[in-house]
Amino acid sequence: MIIQDIIKEIEEFAPLNYAEDFDNVGLLVGDKTAVVTGALITLDTLETTVDEAISKNCNLIVSFHPIIFSGLKKITGKNYVERVVLKAIKNDIAIYAIHTALDNQYKGVNDMICEKIGLINREILIPKKNSIKKLLTFVPADDAEKVRKAIFDAGGGSIGNYDNCSFNVNGTGSFKGNTSSNPVIGERGSLHFEKETQIGITFPAHLEGNILNALFTSHPYEEVAYEITSLENSNQHLGMGMIGELEKPQEEKAFLKTIKSTFKTGCLRHSELLEKPIKKVAVLGGSGAFAIENAKKAGADVYITADLKYHDFYKAEKNIVLADIGHYESEQFTKNLLYSFLTKKFSNFALILAETNSNPIKYI
């Protein structure tokens, strides 16, 4: 098995198309065609992580955070990023990072946080826009069913909890082939009218290549008429953060103490308590100050995230409790999520959960 085999499964689960524009995801170091001896699953890639990979005969590190985030102009070993890259290259170790592609995945980082808290009725907090596209195509009526099925099989026509969704309009198409044409129906040089079905199907943006391949393969015409447009619709199964509910309301202090214990955080910072029960909970792993207003608008009683600055806590405005549990603490279970997913895909392969604690913050 080669590195690309593992990458393929990861990216089917969390397509890189949905990573944030600022991010640096994918294979950062190494050759995707190299044979894999073992894969180490980690939250961060540090020098100690590379050492652990070497000691455990792993030539692939699957990391949540990218060790290379901004451009490298030199690799001389003057800082920890350069030293990690140098050590990885010297020891033929590939580094792959998934980061915000997994943040935006419905069953990703934030769903894992919800699972640890025990939230039910979960929904995406900030549904992602521009991630849904629409295909319109025109097919001879007798071939419409075959073409529809091919597109459905390629992943088109899924809307929320429904699949095989399409809209179909019957009409008449016209065409006249030139001297270089080879029409399947009608004759070259003659105007032809054909009973056709207009098929409209939405699909996830990352599947566009698969959808078009299915269309061209199944469509009988020499020249396939089609349109693809990007929709502004929000994707209810893709996006940042999540919101859910506790099965039973909890008193504020008791809830926050449970969170502190569950996530093993040395210091939980929070805004003013409002002396009302906690029922609705919003979460966003990592730096989540940008989503405070989204959490308030969604009616959350508490918003659990990390990296809140002094003035961010003022934004609670007695409408919500803001709880900063720490960046590492909020994302620490992500490597377990990746490990669980990959072990189901590669049950007979050496996948190892990293033991290295990469949290740079210590508490007294």
Side-chain angles (χ1 to χ4, degrees):
M1 182 168 61
I2 63 174
I3 288 173
Q4 179 58 33
D5 294 326
I6 295 178
I7 290 176
K8 180 177 179 293
E9 292 295 339
I10 294 173
E11 293 181 1
E12 285 185 3
F13 174 54
L16 299 189
N17 306 58
Y18 303 136
E20 297 300 305
D21 293 338
F22 63 79
D23 208 359
N24 187 33
V25 292
L27 186 63
L28 307 183
V29 176
D31 177 7
K32 66 181 180 181
T33 65
V35 175
V36 188
T37 58
L40 185 72
I41 317 301
T42 183
L43 186 67
D44 300 282
T45 304
L46 308 175
E47 287 183 84
T48 50
T49 314
V50 178
D51 289 335
E52 184 177 354
I54 294 169
S55 68
K56 294 177 178 177
N57 194 33
C58 295
N59 66 344
L60 171 63
I61 295 173
V62 177
S63 178
F64 176 63
H65 290 127
I67 181 61
I68 304 172
F69 198 75
S70 53
L72 286 177
K73 294 185 177 180
K74 299 178 182 178
I75 306 179
T76 60
K78 70 177 180 180
N79 58 46
Y80 80 98
V81 174
E82 294 181 12
R83 289 193 294 273
V84 167
V85 173
L86 276 174
K87 182 171 283 191
I89 292 173
K90 285 181 180 179
N91 291 277
D92 292 322
I93 294 175
I95 302 174
Y96 181 92
I98 192 67
H99 205 207
T100 57
L102 191 59
D103 276 318
N104 279 314
Q105 170 57 245
Y106 187 82
K107 288 293 184 181
V109 176
N110 297 296
D111 185 67
M112 176 63 81
I113 297 174
C114 291
E115 192 69 26
K116 292 295 180 181
I117 299 174
L119 300 184
I120 58 175
N121 303 325
R122 304 170 197 172
E123 297 178 355
I124 296 291
L125 180 62
I126 311 175
K128 195 168 184 64
K129 294 184 177 180
N130 300 316
S131 60
I132 302 174
K133 293 194 174 186
K134 181 179 180 180
L135 167 71
L136 278 181
T137 189
F138 307 85
V139 187
D142 291 342
D143 295 280
E145 183 177 351
K146 180 182 71 173
V147 173
R148 267 195 307 271
K149 184 179 184 305
I151 297 172
F152 291 153
D153 290 345
S158 294
I159 302 174
N161 295 320
Y162 296 84
D163 55 29
N164 288 19
C165 301
S166 68
F167 189 77
N168 304 270
V169 180
N170 292 321
T172 302
S174 67
F175 53 85
K176 182 172 73 172
N178 62 25
T179 55
S180 299
S181 67
N182 186 28
V184 175
I185 301 172
E187 296 181 1
R188 183 186 302 145
S190 297
L191 179 62
H192 180 81
F193 292 88
E194 182 69 24
K195 291 182 179 179
E196 293 183 339
T197 300
Q198 180 194 83
I199 303 174
I201 294 179
T202 60
F203 61 90
H206 75 280
L207 293 179
E208 182 171 340
N210 294 351
I211 297 295
L212 287 178
N213 181 62
L215 173 63
F216 298 149
T217 301
S218 61
H219 202 293
Y221 283 172
E222 182 182 25
E223 295 288 350
V224 179
Y226 71 98
E227 303 170 13
I228 288 182
T229 53
S230 294
L231 304 181
E232 288 294 323
N233 303 48
S234 296
N235 194 328
Q236 59 186 303
H237 282 169
L238 191 71
M240 282 286 180
M242 293 198 93
I243 187 162
E245 297 178 338
L246 297 169
E247 289 193 11
K248 295 181 180 179
Q250 295 182 23
E251 188 271 331
E252 290 169 310
K253 284 187 179 179
F255 174 77
L256 292 179
K257 286 180 179 179
T258 299
I259 293 298
K260 188 176 187 296
S261 174
T262 300
F263 291 87
K264 298 179 175 60
T265 181
C267 174
L268 189 155
R269 302 184 303 146
H270 63 83
S271 62
E272 179 183 358
L273 299 182
L274 304 178
E275 297 186 3
K276 66 176 187 178
I278 299 294
K279 175 66 174 177
K280 206 168 187 179
V281 181
V283 306
L284 198 153
S287 302
F290 66 92
I292 291 174
E293 295 305 317
N294 300 89
K296 289 164 66 175
K297 185 177 179 180
D301 299 309
V302 62
Y303 175 43
I304 298 170
T305 188
D307 298 344
L308 297 182
K309 295 180 181 180
Y310 177 83
H311 288 94
D312 290 328
F313 287 97
Y314 284 125
K315 296 176 183 178
E317 297 186 293
K318 298 185 183 295
N319 292 321
I320 192 172
V321 175
L322 303 177
D324 185 331
I325 65 172
H327 196 122
Y328 172 86
E329 287 80 2
S330 70
E331 297 176 336
Q332 63 185 293
F333 301 113
T334 303
K335 67 179 183 180
N336 302 77
L337 169 67
L338 285 167
Y339 178 77
S340 176
F341 170 76
L342 288 173
T343 49
K344 291 175 183 176
K345 295 293 181 179
F346 304 100
S347 57
N348 297 317
F349 180 72
L351 293 160
I352 299 172
L353 195 60
E355 297 177 4
T356 304
N357 185 328
S358 59
N359 190 0
I361 299 172
K362 310 301 177 185
Y363 304 100
I364 294 177

